[in-house]
């Protein structure tokens, strides 16, 4: 699903090497967390995966697309295979929950019949089947985040990227949404890459964690592996804060 082979990214402005020799593989159905401090390269990983920027070196494959020689006309196809959930919900305020999801489906050419069938199923999956006709300002923060998740799920993406999706929620809602996201991911066998600085989210939700610092991956492993082998100062700090 995702393959980075010795990938580097250098931004022309200032000649800064944002990523250096990145090697990682994400399997189908795997829930992988990418953690690290500000400036570690997490945002550049997201930009590479969505085709916003291209690699400067190495080989990058995403959902069957080779990002080293992808054409301009293939970029929209790549992006249709990826669902992105951001920390701000980006819902259309003047549209109901159903209309927000229908708008997303029509944008990719879904038929009225498919829309009518798919939306109720996904709303039930995220527990919003009774909120179909509500507008975003009539929903709680947690409900709005579930609409954002549903909007991605209706499109059946091959890969879901989550960029700090719970950072705007309070602690109680974050705990609830962590459980819900993990449940849905396991139920649908979704492939997810979750970018965060929240150590507890990574330790309680992930199959594997990739720890980044200064443009490099310093550690890859399961949560238990990171506890057993704190190989870098950042990982040691990461574990200490999570306890």
């Amino acid at each position: 699903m995702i393959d980075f082979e010795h990938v580097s990214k250098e931004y022309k402005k200032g000649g800064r090497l944002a990523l250096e020799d990145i090697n990682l593989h994400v399997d189908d159905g795997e829930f992988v967390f990418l953690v690290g401090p500000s400036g570690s390269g997490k945002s550049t990983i997201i930009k590479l995966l969505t085709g916003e920027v291209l690699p400067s070196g190495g080989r990058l494959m995403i959902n069957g697309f080779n990002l080293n020689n992808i054409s301009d006309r293939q970029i929209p196809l790549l992006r249709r295979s990826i669902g992105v959930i951001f920390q701000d919900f980006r819902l259309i305020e003047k549209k109901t929950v159903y209309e927000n999801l229908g708008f997303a489906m029509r944008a990719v050419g879904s038929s009225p019949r498919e829309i009518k069938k798919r939306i109720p199923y996904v709303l039930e999956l995220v527990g919003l089947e009774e909120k179909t006709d509500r507008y975003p300002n009539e929903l709680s923060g947690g409900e709005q985040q579930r609409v954002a998740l549903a909007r991605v799920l209706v499109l059946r993406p091959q890969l879901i990227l989550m960029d700090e999706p719970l950072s705007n929620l309070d602690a109680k809602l974050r705990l609830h949404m962590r459980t819900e996201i993990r449940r849905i991911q396991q139920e649908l066998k979704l492939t997810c890459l979750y970018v965060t600085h929240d150590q507890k989210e990574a330790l309680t939700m992930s199959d594997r964690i990739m720890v980044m610092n200064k443009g490099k991956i310093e550690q890859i492993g399961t949560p238990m592996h990171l506890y057993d082998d704190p190989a870098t100062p950042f990982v040691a700090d990461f574990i200490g804060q999570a306890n």
Side-chain angles (χ1 to χ4, degrees):
M1 188 65 70
I2 301 176
D3 274 301
F4 282 71
E5 296 181 7
H6 304 288
V7 171
S8 63
K9 177 59 186 177
E10 182 177 359
Y11 290 107
K12 292 182 179 179
K13 187 176 181 180
R16 181 172 64 90
L17 196 62
L19 296 176
E20 183 179 352
D21 197 31
I22 299 296
N23 291 285
L24 70 92
H25 175 78
V26 178
D27 288 317
D28 290 349
E30 192 173 17
F31 199 173
V32 175
F33 268 63
L34 186 64
V35 300
S38 178
S40 62
K42 303 190 304 297
S43 295
T44 299
I45 293 283
I46 292 288
K47 290 178 179 179
L48 283 170
L49 290 171
T50 57
E52 184 177 342
V53 300
L54 299 178
S56 304
R59 181 173 180 268
L60 175 55
M61 296 290 298
I62 306 164
N63 296 343
F65 293 92
N66 187 333
L67 272 289
N68 296 87
N69 56 20
I70 193 169
S71 65
D72 290 341
R73 66 180 179 82
Q74 287 180 308
I75 293 290
L77 299 176
L78 166 70
R79 290 175 179 166
R80 284 190 182 185
S81 74
I82 299 171
V84 184
I85 302 174
F86 300 97
Q87 55 185 286
D88 52 333
F89 311 128
R90 304 190 182 187
L91 303 176
I92 302 173
E93 292 296 328
K94 295 184 178 180
K95 292 185 181 294
T96 65
V97 169
Y98 189 98
E99 290 168 343
N100 266 275
L101 272 58
F103 181 82
M105 293 188 72
R106 286 194 298 273
V108 298
S110 299
S111 68
R113 181 179 179 182
E114 186 178 5
I115 291 172
K116 186 176 180 180
K117 180 180 180 180
R118 180 73 176 165
I119 291 178
Y121 163 71
V122 172
L123 288 179
E124 184 176 359
L125 184 69
V126 301
L128 290 176
E129 62 271 25
E130 297 182 359
K131 308 287 184 177
T132 300
D133 298 323
R134 300 288 182 88
Y135 290 89
N137 64 3
E138 297 176 315
L139 302 174
S140 68
E143 288 170 338
Q144 290 184 51
Q145 186 57 281
R146 279 188 277 167
V147 177
L149 175 59
R151 185 179 53 193
V152 167
L153 294 177
V154 293
L155 302 179
R156 296 186 177 92
Q158 294 175 257
L159 169 67
I160 296 179
L161 303 178
M162 300 184 182
D163 188 6
E164 300 278 7
L166 306 183
S167 61
N168 287 335
L169 304 180
D170 62 37
K172 184 177 180 180
L173 278 176
R174 283 201 303 272
L175 178 61
H176 175 70
M177 285 303 299
R178 286 203 298 262
T179 302
E180 286 298 291
I181 288 173
R182 185 56 163 159
R183 174 185 65 80
I184 293 168
Q185 184 271 330
Q186 291 179 323
E187 184 173 334
L188 299 182
K189 297 180 173 59
L190 300 172
T191 306
C192 299
L193 183 65
Y194 193 118
V195 178
T196 186
H197 67 278
D198 190 308
Q199 297 92 342
K200 288 185 179 180
E201 285 181 5
L203 288 168
T204 57
M205 295 172 65
S206 67
D207 294 321
R208 281 192 302 146
I209 301 170
M210 298 179 293
V211 181
M212 292 196 69
N213 199 22
K214 297 180 180 178
K216 297 181 179 181
I217 294 179
E218 292 193 334
Q219 186 86 345
I220 300 179
T222 65
M224 185 61 70
H225 174 223
L226 291 184
Y227 269 106
D228 291 341
D229 184 22
T232 69
F234 180 74
V235 173
D237 179 62
F238 167 82
I239 292 172
Q241 291 184 39
N243 286 325

